[in-house]
Amino acid sequence: MAERLTVGVAARLSRYLQVLTQAKKMGKDRISSQEIAEYTNINATQIRRDLSSFGRFGKRGVGYNIDSPLGEIRKILRTQGQHNIALVGAGRLGGAIATSPIFAEHGITIAAVFDVDPDKAGRIIGGVPVSPLEQLAQLVDERNIIVGVLAVPADTAQGAADALVVAGVKIIFNYSQALLTTPADVQVHTSNPAVELLYALYFHLT
């Protein structure tokens, strides 16, 4: 797609992608806009409008053949190719991220894992050996890494983010509770499940 997606459309497509991927894994061949609406809390009319913008996938009363919109959304969000990421933090959270199959399903490879603890160096997590943080710049360059994932304590997150920025990484996913300071050309996406839960509870209880 030539035009850049708005943030709102990209966010909705990413949620459709999650639902379609999971439905495919569960053995479903077709899915309706109403079913997608139930899983995403996005209005079914909006879903049909979004999907019709990118192709004629569905048929009224029959729903969508999952493979068609799944492939198209992956192409639109550029997840069809192989993307390499660096994971910083080889603790419990980092281990869970590294061993999850979710990344591979979308063409994303954890190409390197780093930790400041010298005792963890050389351990294999998710099939990848843990490297010392001092090797980050070298491996980011060698393995064409474009995204960094931080799974570290809040007090070490800024230092790890700084190392990623120096190495040339432009997208950082922050699973720590730290507020990161980065250059304007570096995107930081912070995920906090507790805050997201509070957000959901607010709308449920009010």
Side-chain angles (χ1 to χ4, degrees), residues 116-162:
V116 295
D117 184 353
D119 291 337
K120 291 179 181 173
R123 289 187 190 177
I124 305 297
I125 296 182
V128 181
V130 177
S131 302
L133 200 60
E134 292 77 18
Q135 294 182 11
L136 191 146
Q138 174 192 341
L139 294 180
V140 162
D141 181 57
E142 288 179 358
R143 300 179 185 177
N144 194 29
I145 289 169
I146 60 173
V147 179
V149 176
L150 295 183
V152 297
D155 58 350
T156 63
Q158 184 64 59
D162 291 344

Side-chain angles (χ1 to χ4, degrees), residues 19 48 51 60 66 93 133 146 170:
V19 171
R48 289 192 294 272
L51 295 182
R60 184 177 292 275
I66 288 175
L93 176 57
L133 200 60
I146 60 173
K170 297 298 185 184

Side-chain angles (χ1 to χ4, degrees), residues 185-199:
D185 63 341
V186 175
Q187 298 177 45
V188 176
H189 302 267
T190 299
S191 177
N192 188 321
V195 171
E196 291 169 9
L197 177 59
L198 283 175
Y199 171 79

Side-chain angles (χ1 to χ4, degrees), residues 2-206:
E3 294 181 13
R4 183 175 175 83
L5 300 177
T6 66
V7 172
V9 173
R12 292 197 300 273
L13 289 181
S14 69
R15 292 168 72 184
Y16 304 157
L17 182 59
Q18 292 174 26
V19 171
L20 293 169
T21 300
Q22 191 60 31
K24 178 78 173 173
K25 286 171 62 178
M26 294 170 65
K28 291 175 68 72
D29 294 321
R30 306 195 74 87
I31 192 167
S32 69
S33 57
Q34 190 57 50
E35 287 177 285
I36 299 174
E38 290 169 3
Y39 290 119
T40 61
N41 290 322
I42 297 170
N43 184 280
T45 301
Q46 180 66 63
I47 293 168
R48 289 192 294 272
R49 187 179 300 128
D50 286 337
L51 295 182
S52 67
S53 298
F54 305 112
R56 303 186 68 83
F57 302 120
K59 183 180 291 186
R60 184 177 292 275
V62 178
Y64 301 98
N65 180 313
I66 288 175
D67 286 337
S68 297
L70 184 61
E72 190 63 23
I73 292 172
R74 279 181 173 160
K75 280 192 283 187
I76 291 166
L77 295 179
R78 297 180 177 85
T79 60
Q80 196 65 53
Q82 193 70 41
H83 303 307
N84 292 339
I85 69 174
L87 171 64
V88 182
R92 279 185 289 185
L93 176 57
I97 292 171
T99 56
S100 171
I102 292 174
F103 290 103
E105 290 171 1
H106 297 293
I108 299 169
T109 297
I110 296 178
V113 180
F114 302 93
D115 203 281
V116 295
D117 184 353
D119 291 337
K120 291 179 181 173
R123 289 187 190 177
I124 305 297
I125 296 182
V128 181
V130 177
S131 302
L133 200 60
E134 292 77 18
Q135 294 182 11
L136 191 146
Q138 174 192 341
L139 294 180
V140 162
D141 181 57
E142 288 179 358
R143 300 179 185 177
N144 194 29
I145 289 169
I146 60 173
V147 179
V149 176
L150 295 183
V152 297
D155 58 350
T156 63
Q158 184 64 59
D162 291 344
L164 288 167
V165 170
V166 169
V169 170
K170 297 298 185 184
I171 305 171
I172 296 174
F173 278 80
N174 176 29
Y175 285 97
S176 79
Q177 297 182 36
L179 294 175
L180 301 178
T181 301
T182 59
D185 63 341
V186 175
Q187 298 177 45
V188 176
H189 302 267
T190 299
S191 177
N192 188 321
V195 171
E196 291 169 9
L197 177 59
L198 283 175
Y199 171 79
L201 286 171
Y202 172 81
F203 285 101
H204 178 71
L205 297 174
T206 56

